[in-house]
Amino acid sequence: CAEGYQVREAKNGDEALTAASETAPKMIITDLRMPSGGVSYINRLRTLAPDCPIIVITAFGDKATKTEVLAAGATRYFSKPVRISELKGTVRELVATIRSPY
């Protein structure tokens, strides 16, 4: 990626869960509504990667969905359309907390 991060893509929630179980992701950015996605998918990701920041993006959300997703373990939540500058800023912020021991 142009920002210098190593990126691994997944076609659906099942593939993402497999990837998360096989590697130790530093951060997960995912769409909420995709095949094998949803709030239960976020719960499973959180179980597999308890300390990993999870950014959720969706075009089908409202305040209740945001509350549910954050309660399921998401670190940040974005509604589409996403401002790329805001997403990049959030990624930079979360990467800084990963690299810092405090």
Side-chain angles (χ1 to χ4, degrees), residues 11-97:
K11 295 180 217 171
N12 56 48
D14 289 334
E15 190 174 301
L17 289 166
T18 298
S21 69
E22 293 174 351
T23 62
K26 300 283 191 238
M27 181 178 302
I28 297 169
I29 302 174
T30 187
D31 194 289
L32 183 63
R33 193 168 177 179
M34 64 176 169
S36 303
V39 175
S40 63
Y41 157 69
I42 302 303
N43 279 314
R44 292 187 310 246
L45 278 174
R46 179 52 65 215
T47 300
L48 289 170
D51 299 321
C52 178
I54 300 173
I55 300 173
V56 174
I57 302 171
T58 187
F60 303 98
D62 53 22
K63 287 183 181 184
T65 302
K66 180 178 180 177
T67 299
E68 192 175 8
V69 167
L70 292 172
T75 309
R76 296 287 195 284
Y77 176 95
F78 286 92
S79 293
K80 289 180 183 177
V82 176
R83 289 187 161 170
I84 296 301
S85 61
E86 289 180 29
L87 180 59
K88 284 182 177 182
T90 297
V91 168
R92 280 192 293 273
E93 172 193 335
L94 293 173
V95 165
T97 65

